[in-house]
Amino acid sequence: MPPSSEPASRQAPKLCYHCGEEVPSGLELAILIGGEMRPMCCPGCRAVAGLISASGLETFYQQRTAYNERPPELPPANADQYLVYDDPQLAAGFSETGPDGAITARLLLGGISCAACTWLIEQTMMRLPGVSMALVNLQQSRLDIRFDPAQLPLSQVFARLDALGYRVRPFQASTQRLQMSREYRLELRRLAVAGLGMMQVGMFAIALHAGDIQGIEGQYQGLLRWVSLLVASFVVLFSARPFFSTAWRHLRQGALVMDLPVALAIGLAWLASAWATFTGTGQVYFDSVVMFTFFLLLGRFLERRARQRHNITWFDAQGTLPDAVSARRNEQWVTVPRVQLVAGDLVLIKAGDTVPVDALVATGASAVREDTFNGEPLPRRVTAGDTIYAGTVNVEAAVQASVLGSYLESRLAALQRSVEQAQTGKPRLARLADRVASWFVGAILLITTGTALVWSQLAPEQAFWIALSVLVISCPCALALATPAALTSAASALRASGVIVRGENALEALSRATHLIFDKTGTLTEGALAIARIELLGDASREQVLAVAAAMQQYSSHPVARAFSELEPAGGLQQVEYLVGAGLEAQRDGHTYRMGSEPFCRGQAPGLAHAPAEPLYWIALCRDSQPLAWIGLYDRTRPEAAAVVTAARQANMEVQLLTGDSSSQGSILARELGIEHVRSGLEPQQKMAHVQSLQQAGAVVAMVGDGLNDAPVLGVADASFAVASASDLARTQADFVLVDGDLHSITTTWRKARQGRRVIMQNLAWALAYNVCAIPLAACGLVPPWAAAIGMSLSSLLVVANSLRLNNRPRD
Amino acid sequence: MDSLYLLIPIALLFCAIAIKLLLWAIDSGQYDDLDKEAWKILADDEPPRESADGQAPHNTSEEKQS
């Protein structure tokens, strides 16, 4: 369940009041909100929560329905990067200046988790001096803001949103987005017309039905039929148009889809009723026509809205790159917009910054974390002459690098392109309903023709009406509703248990999945290093070793340091020095401590033994010439991973592991979890190719991943999961996003998908059985119109009711 | 019963007006964000807007009791 208005848990472990993550033990970051001390998991969250509470907007925490996203460490520090947006030329791309000098800017926001966020953002922005309008569109994650640039520079707007914990960048109105919002409005218009039309026609229909029972004068019956015809024609021509156009489009390509029987039913029932109205004979079905149109449109509209709601428009890989870059111009460092960089420019990349472009290191040495491309948290060492790639993070020291080319030529852009390729290359599994539809249509047309032929021999004057009644009674309402009703119901049940379902069709694919493929780092493992073993070498105790290590690592920004951040550090450290590519050196009580790589420590303590053979990430600690310990670090496996793998194997799914890590860690993890097939050292494109070759061999593949590097493979898999901490690009490619980060949700989801498939089967079986029974009766001319109407409604209701059974909370 | 000939056209006229209004509302963007508006009516007791001098606003009593 999403957290209610009071997300703080009473029980251990303590959860961060802001983002809902577990508070590391021993961390005492709390802040007064709403009269109570609330625990915080990191300085970033505390800064954001402090800002919210200081501006008197604490009610936000009572109103929200989901936790916020965890902000990056200490957000306000990087406010300078937004100064480039004060450049009017750059700002012109996403803002316009009104006649009174006020600027209206459109900004794209990342991290909006619920409707209360829109309130928080609007309130905060309206309090800034000079702001005259702030309007958040939740569906597009867009903020429209109008302000006076004399009182407030645009960079301040960016910095303020950043300080609130939302990622912000200019909103570029792409043609795709414009198209989407135009279609949305058009669908809503169709729905509105169908809804109002349904009420009108329904009213007249009650009068007509009452007339059938009590008797009605011919002139009034004629009047009611004529007005019904008028309204229904409008609805059919305007609202039901997409059914006709889709059916026709597919028919021309020789494909029979579900829209064809729908279009036939609507079209023929309308024609028959119109004929009856003109001739004053037979029966009218205007109410059924309009109601059917309305409910089908409603179902599609709801499905589309659910899909768009979670369709984060933050999908551009380029958006992860900094917009402002320090570049060398005229013998001094100036901040320039990234887009203005050309090949050969010298740029300065500080420790902790994201590399803005593909570049060649000119001077300096550092390490870059390349989890963008291989998912690994451990960085790669780089020195002068090495290439560093846009989108990776410089973790150790500042380097100067010369730009190799524009964004479009970068490795990151190639990754983004393969994501787009994956979207178009995704195999379309023929949907169950469409396959049923294709022979259903054929059968109906055949039976109708047969009926008409037979009756034209027996009683020519009745042949037309009986053939029509066969067509109307076979109106595939139940058949058309069978699949969407079940899928929508299953999706809403999953949503309630912490899985966002973005593509409902993926549920059908998932129910047939033969392969379940995992990424390693960040998916099966936690994606951060933890201490696995400590080999003591000297006289220092375990506690002393850890305390000194923790104290030294406080001065490092290397990912290794995270493993020590929860430990109590020793005091008295002096002259701590960070040596790039080697380790840390510090003075304490007259001793010199070194911690880091083997050659670095052996330089001071020649007696240091070789690192233990175990495949862990080993770092040494020594005091003067005495080795103290080897500390082995590893990426901890998620505790529930084994259970999830076992459950999938028991359900006859083949489990595989694909990892960008080229070390032996992948196969060790696979053995530990009982996974048979492992592929290591794969580039994102190779992962994608592997999945595609499986699909060509007939497999239906479900993929679980997290990183930017998983985005292409998530895009191409038949059904895909992104775990909670996944990158935005991976989220946009995934059909399911696991909100609470519990891998058990994967098991829950595929079980629900299989259950959903059973319900769809039952629905289809019922709908077909109804038709099989009713059509012969109609063909014999035995079904009175009122019975046909009731039968149609009842069969649809039954299908919907059966589908609602899926809405029960998933059983574990 | 002859009144039907008057009443039904009137009903149709009302219906046409309602459709016209609804379409106008959709086109003017009032239904573009159904999620937010649904939530917004529950949160209408917005704190007063801060004046430009940067002072924190005074909390309402409802905010304090939380």
Side-chain angles (χ1 to χ4, degrees):
Chain A
M1 285 291 288
S4 60
S5 57
E6 198 68 28
S9 162
R10 302 259 175 291
Q11 292 154 0
K14 262 196 304 189
L15 297 182
C16 176
Y17 189 65
H18 183 71
C19 72
E21 284 191 31
E22 213 172 289
V23 177
S25 57
L27 191 71
E28 289 300 332
L29 282 175
I31 189 167
L32 191 69
I33 297 174
E36 253 186 79
M37 290 306 281
R38 311 290 191 179
M40 291 287 148
C41 69
C42 61
C45 283
R46 189 175 62 169
V48 173
L51 180 68
I52 293 172
S53 132
S55 11
L57 295 170
E58 298 112 322
T59 32
F60 166 69
Y61 285 107
Q62 272 92 55
Q63 302 278 6
R64 68 177 177 180
T65 53
Y67 280 116
N68 291 61
E69 271 190 22
R70 186 178 178 161
E73 312 281 323
L74 288 179
N78 46 13
D80 281 354
Q81 70 176 81
Y82 297 119
L83 285 175
V84 279
Y85 293 117
D86 289 338
D87 175 15
Q89 220 181 341
L90 195 68
F94 57 94
S95 66
E96 51 211 41
T97 311
D100 53 348
I103 291 180
T104 309
R106 291 175 303 275
L107 307 177
L108 188 58
L109 299 170
I112 299 189
S113 52
C114 75
C117 289
T118 66
W119 176 81
L120 177 70
I121 293 166
E122 285 173 4
Q123 289 301 311
T124 314
M125 292 334 264
M126 288 302 283
R127 283 154 193 245
L128 290 176
V131 176
S132 52
M133 178 202 81
L135 211 60
V136 178
N137 186 317
L138 183 63
Q139 235 157 15
Q140 300 187 340
S141 301
R142 189 184 80 181
L143 166 69
D144 289 352
I145 183 166
R146 188 164 61 231
F147 60 96
D148 178 5
Q151 289 185 59
L152 181 76
L154 187 53
S155 59
Q156 282 295 311
V157 174
F158 277 81
R160 188 71 172 188
L161 287 163
D162 190 327
L164 272 179
Y166 299 100
R167 286 154 297 153
V168 52
R169 69 187 173 93
F171 182 93
Q172 309 291 357
S174 70
T175 46
Q176 191 200 357
R177 281 205 197 98
L178 281 176
Q179 177 78 10
M180 253 162 58
S181 79
R182 252 205 310 270
E183 276 175 18
Y184 172 82
R185 284 189 186 177
L186 190 61
E187 260 180 52
L188 204 56
R189 293 174 66 123
R190 292 205 162 109
L191 190 63
V193 168
L196 284 169
M198 181 184 77
M199 294 179 209
Q200 285 298 309
V201 176
M203 237 156 52
F204 302 138
I206 290 173
L208 281 171
H209 287 313
D212 283 343
I213 297 167
Q214 300 176 343
I216 185 168
E217 275 178 53
Q219 57 161 329
Y220 297 122
Q221 191 187 40
L223 172 69
L224 289 172
R225 283 183 173 192
W226 276 103
V227 288
S228 298
L229 172 67
L230 187 73
V231 180
S233 307
F234 189 54
V235 172
V236 169
L237 290 180
F238 179 70
S239 296
R241 179 177 295 191
F243 300 117
F244 293 110
S245 54
T246 319
W248 177 238
R249 206 173 52 238
H250 283 93
L251 198 63
R252 269 191 313 189
Q253 295 165 0
L256 299 171
V257 289
M258 203 60 226
D259 273 0
L260 184 60
V262 170
L264 272 182
I266 293 176
L268 287 171
W270 178 79
L271 267 181
S273 310
W275 179 256
T277 307
F278 277 118
T279 57
T281 54
Q283 184 64 31
V284 296
Y285 301 96
F286 290 121
D287 52 333
S288 308
V289 171
V290 186
M291 215 185 328
F292 187 42
T293 309
F294 175 73
F295 281 115
L296 277 179
L297 282 177
L298 184 67
R300 284 184 193 198
F301 177 76
L302 291 178
E303 188 200 331
R304 182 194 183 87
R305 205 163 76 90
R307 205 171 50 224
Q308 277 185 359
R309 169 91 166 75
H310 301 287
N311 191 2
I312 315 156
T313 36
W314 196 259
F315 51 80
D316 197 357
Q318 201 176 355
T320 61
L321 302 178
D323 277 315
V325 181
S326 279
R328 192 86 174 163
R329 292 279 157 89
N330 303 325
E331 299 305 304
Q332 52 184 346
W333 293 107
V334 289
T335 304
V336 300
R338 175 173 50 81
V339 287
Q340 288 178 10
L341 292 176
V342 290
D345 273 350
L346 201 61
V347 292
L348 177 70
I349 303 157
K350 296 197 206 81
D353 281 0
T354 302
V355 179
V357 281
D358 282 8
L360 209 61
V361 178
T363 47
S366 181
V368 285
R369 207 177 67 222
E370 299 191 314
D371 49 356
T372 312
F373 297 108
N374 59 19
E376 288 310 300
L378 281 178
R380 173 174 70 99
R381 291 232 167 87
V382 289
T383 54
D386 287 339
T387 310
I388 48 177
Y389 299 104
T392 61
V393 181
N394 178 18
V395 288
E396 286 194 353
V399 292
Q400 296 178 20
S402 78
V403 176
L404 284 174
S406 70
Y407 168 74
L408 286 177
E409 300 157 52
S410 70
R411 202 173 156 195
L412 188 66
L415 180 71
Q416 165 102 38
R417 274 196 295 274
S418 53
V419 169
E420 281 152 20
Q421 215 182 330
Q423 283 171 328
T424 52
K426 187 165 180 158
R428 303 232 33 103
L429 286 174
R431 286 196 281 166
L432 202 59
D434 283 344
R435 279 183 299 166
V436 172
S438 56
W439 60 263
F440 181 79
V441 179
I444 293 298
L445 293 179
L446 215 68
I447 294 172
T448 312
T449 326
T451 310
L453 279 177
V454 171
W455 278 96
S456 65
Q457 301 299 316
L458 295 177
E461 72 285 354
Q462 286 188 42
F464 177 74
W465 284 111
I466 290 177
L468 259 183
S469 79
V470 170
L471 268 178
V472 172
I473 216 161
S474 67
C475 163
C477 300
L479 203 62
L481 287 172
T483 313
L487 291 182
T488 310
S489 183
S492 88
L494 284 171
R495 227 163 267 148
S497 60
V499 181
I500 296 176
V501 182
R502 292 191 50 247
E504 283 172 9
N505 291 333
L507 274 173
E508 221 183 308
L510 184 62
S511 70
R512 285 190 275 158
T514 54
H515 288 63
L516 184 61
I517 302 185
F518 287 93
D519 167 55
K520 182 174 77 80
T521 316
T523 304
L524 282 178
T525 69
E526 287 175 349
L529 291 170
I531 299 171
R533 280 199 40 210
I534 298 170
E535 290 279 316
L536 294 175
L537 305 172
D539 52 2
S541 74
R542 193 186 151 86
E543 284 69 34
Q544 286 168 326
V545 164
L546 285 177
V548 172
M552 290 177 79
Q553 291 293 345
Q554 283 181 321
Y555 295 87
S556 162
S557 59
H558 196 278
V560 160
R562 285 253 189 96
F564 297 89
S565 62
E566 294 175 19
L567 298 168
E568 186 69 34
L573 235 56
Q574 283 165 346
Q575 296 169 25
V576 185
E577 213 180 329
Y578 184 77
L579 296 130
V580 175
L584 292 146
E585 190 178 283
Q587 304 290 329
R588 182 171 180 257
D589 303 336
H591 295 290
T592 305
Y593 286 85
R594 273 192 177 187
M595 181 173 190
S597 71
E598 190 170 335
F600 173 64
C601 289
R602 188 165 289 136
Q604 184 183 305
L608 180 69
H610 281 292
E614 255 179 284
L616 297 172
Y617 184 82
W618 292 100
I619 50 176
L621 177 68
C622 55
R623 182 176 61 206
D624 296 331
S625 64
Q626 191 195 10
L628 288 182
W630 275 112
I631 301 174
L633 304 175
Y634 78 134
D635 188 4
R636 196 161 39 196
T637 312
R638 288 184 197 253
E640 72 274 18
V644 173
V645 169
T646 315
R649 281 163 57 94
Q650 279 166 359
N652 288 328
M653 274 189 268
E654 185 179 326
V655 182
Q656 297 193 353
L657 182 68
L658 297 185
T659 174
D661 181 4
S662 48
S663 73
S664 58
Q665 293 289 343
S667 39
I668 294 171
L669 180 72
R671 251 204 315 281
E672 197 182 305
L673 296 177
I675 300 174
E676 286 159 19
H677 300 271
V678 190
R679 297 282 298 273
S680 297
L682 295 183
E683 294 266 311
Q685 284 84 353
Q686 288 173 310
K687 286 188 179 183
M688 192 167 114
H690 176 74
V691 168
Q692 278 172 329
S693 69
L694 281 176
Q695 285 171 333
Q696 269 155 23
V700 180
V701 179
M703 173 83 206
V704 191
D706 73 314
L708 215 53
N709 62 322
D710 295 321
V713 69
L714 290 178
V716 83
D718 298 297
S720 48
F721 293 86
V723 298
S725 54
S727 64
D728 290 318
L729 190 63
R731 278 167 183 245
T732 58
Q733 294 310 308
D735 300 310
F736 307 98
V737 180
L738 310 180
V739 179
D740 53 4
D742 185 350
L743 291 184
H744 280 307
S745 302
I746 296 173
T747 315
T748 314
T749 309
W750 65 251
R751 287 208 175 125
K752 195 52 119 181
R754 290 189 173 189
Q755 195 189 343
R757 186 175 169 78
R758 281 197 299 275
V759 169
I760 291 175
M761 292 295 201
Q762 292 160 5
N763 285 350
L764 290 177
W766 160 254
L768 288 175
Y770 162 76
N771 279 314
V772 165
C773 298
I775 289 172
L777 290 177
C780 300
L782 294 174
V783 179
W786 58 266
I790 291 178
M792 247 157 50
S793 311
L794 272 186
S795 71
S796 302
L797 276 180
L798 206 78
V799 160
V800 172
N802 188 32
S803 302
L804 284 178
R805 292 192 304 127
L806 281 168
N807 229 335
N808 301 334
R809 283 292 298 279
R811 281 172 299 234
D812 291 320
Chain B
M1 287 295 271
D2 284 339
S3 57
L4 273 184
Y5 287 102
L6 181 66
L7 291 176
I8 286 179
I10 289 177
L12 285 182
L13 186 69
F14 277 130
C15 184
I17 292 172
I19 289 179
K20 190 85 192 148
L21 269 177
L22 203 53
L23 294 190
W24 167 79
I26 291 170
D27 280 345
S28 67
Q30 297 183 35
Y31 289 89
D32 279 2
D33 195 345
L34 296 172
D35 300 290
K36 188 180 95 182
E37 308 304 330
W39 179 87
K40 212 173 173 181
I41 51 160
L42 300 174
D44 53 1
D45 51 348
E46 297 172 2
R49 194 187 159 178
E50 180 187 5
S51 52
D53 56 11
Q55 289 287 307
H58 60 273
N59 287 359
T60 63
S61 56
E62 278 170 26
E63 280 169 324
K64 275 177 186 156
Q65 59 174 246
S66 54

